[in-house]
Amino acid sequence: MRVEIWSDIACPWCYVGKARFEKALEAFPHRDEVEVVHRSFELDPDRAKGDVQPVLGLLAKKYGMTEAQAQAAENNLGAQAAAEGLDYRTTGRDHGNTFDMHRLLHLAKERDRQDELIQILYRANFAEERSLFSEGDDRLVELAVEAGLDADDARGVLADPTAYADAVRADEREAAELGARGVPFFVLDRTYGVSGAQPAEVFTQALTQAWGERSPLRLIEDGGAEACGPDGCAVPRS
């Protein structure tokens, strides 16, 4: 079974939702038969690279809050993250463009290091003092290497603005086609969708239901035609 997760590194609920989903997946009896794929979704796609802004000011402006109210919202998120065993800095964080991170995540998918990289990027954004956005490409390369990627490969992607750009845009178009208006957005076997950072119990229910309703393969024609198998191929007889 395949689970696709549309998310953005700048999304705190994606950070929390991933932890809740993984708690459900860890207890799922068929977890070893579940493939998880991370898909791209930018919350702020029009923000220019290098345009970095403090999170509290951004929240206050976007939602018409005072900075005190924005701080209270961050404190609430911090408490929810802590309940999932996650570190979360409620002050001093900033926000910027995540397009290059998504491009690196597509590289990581090809190298089978995608989950490692996305978790490292979340940690860097939400838990560490160093900015994920203001230190430039060197910071992203450092984190990519920590995830097990080759430094030169990561630098090559970041130096070429077209590298994996189409893959990111394709993910985003697909999210729109599937009806995702926000993230995190979980799609199970292209049959069920779960929106938001739901409790682990909801993910458990979704996994169980999707697994139980998988359609068994039905053969249109059973046998008779030549084929190849582990013991070799059928030999034509005259």
Side-chain angles (χ1 to χ4, degrees):
M1 184 167 71
R2 170 179 280 200
V3 178
E4 297 162 278
I5 307 173
W6 272 264
S7 59
D8 192 10
I9 302 305
C11 165
W13 290 118
C14 297
Y15 180 46
V16 173
K18 182 176 186 291
R20 291 175 177 172
F21 170 77
E22 288 175 348
K23 185 181 293 184
L25 183 61
E26 179 62 27
F28 186 57
H30 308 286
R31 62 185 179 277
D32 292 338
E33 298 173 76
V34 177
E35 176 192 12
V36 178
V37 178
H38 297 282
R39 302 290 192 192
S40 300
F41 190 107
E42 294 172 276
L43 292 174
D44 201 356
D46 296 325
R47 181 176 290 271
K49 183 177 179 178
D51 180 6
V52 181
Q53 182 178 0
V55 165
L56 289 182
L58 174 73
L59 292 175
K61 182 178 180 180
K62 184 172 183 178
Y63 298 107
M65 299 176 172
T66 65
E67 288 220 1
Q69 289 171 323
Q71 183 62 68
E74 280 290 278
N75 292 343
N76 178 271
L77 267 165
Q80 300 226 28
E84 305 303 330
L86 300 172
D87 293 328
Y88 189 100
R89 293 181 66 230
T90 59
T91 59
R93 291 196 306 107
D94 56 18
H95 173 82
N97 182 284
T98 59
F99 187 61
D100 284 347
M101 299 173 204
H102 286 293
R103 296 195 300 119
L104 284 175
L105 283 165
H106 277 278
L107 169 68
K109 181 176 183 294
E110 289 188 355
R111 303 293 192 271
D112 198 28
R113 307 301 295 173
Q114 192 184 43
D115 193 70
E116 288 81 0
L117 180 57
I118 198 169
Q119 192 60 37
I120 286 169
L121 291 172
Y122 278 142
R123 184 203 70 206
N125 186 37
F126 293 108
E128 296 183 355
E129 290 188 14
R130 292 175 62 189
S131 171
L132 185 60
F133 300 100
S134 62
E135 293 190 26
D137 290 352
D138 287 346
R139 175 70 166 141
L140 294 182
V141 171
E142 174 188 320
L143 296 171
V145 169
E146 183 181 342
L149 296 178
D150 180 80
D152 289 339
D153 287 347
R155 286 194 189 94
V157 169
L158 295 171
D160 177 4
T162 68
Y164 300 102
D166 288 346
V168 174
R169 298 306 182 210
D171 278 357
E172 293 173 338
R173 285 194 302 271
E174 198 164 15
E177 291 166 3
L178 290 169
R181 295 179 177 83
V183 285
F185 189 71
F186 301 77
V187 176
L188 290 75
D189 258 0
R190 291 299 171 107
T191 302
Y192 292 98
V194 178
S195 181
Q198 300 287 348
E201 294 78 10
V202 173
F203 290 120
T204 297
Q205 180 183 359
L207 287 165
T208 302
Q209 187 167 345
W211 183 268
E213 294 184 12
R214 290 179 309 147
S215 298
L217 184 67
R218 290 175 290 181
L219 291 175
I220 294 175
E221 178 61 44
D222 185 10
E226 292 80 4
C228 294
D231 298 324
C233 297
V235 178
R237 302 292 183 180
S238 56

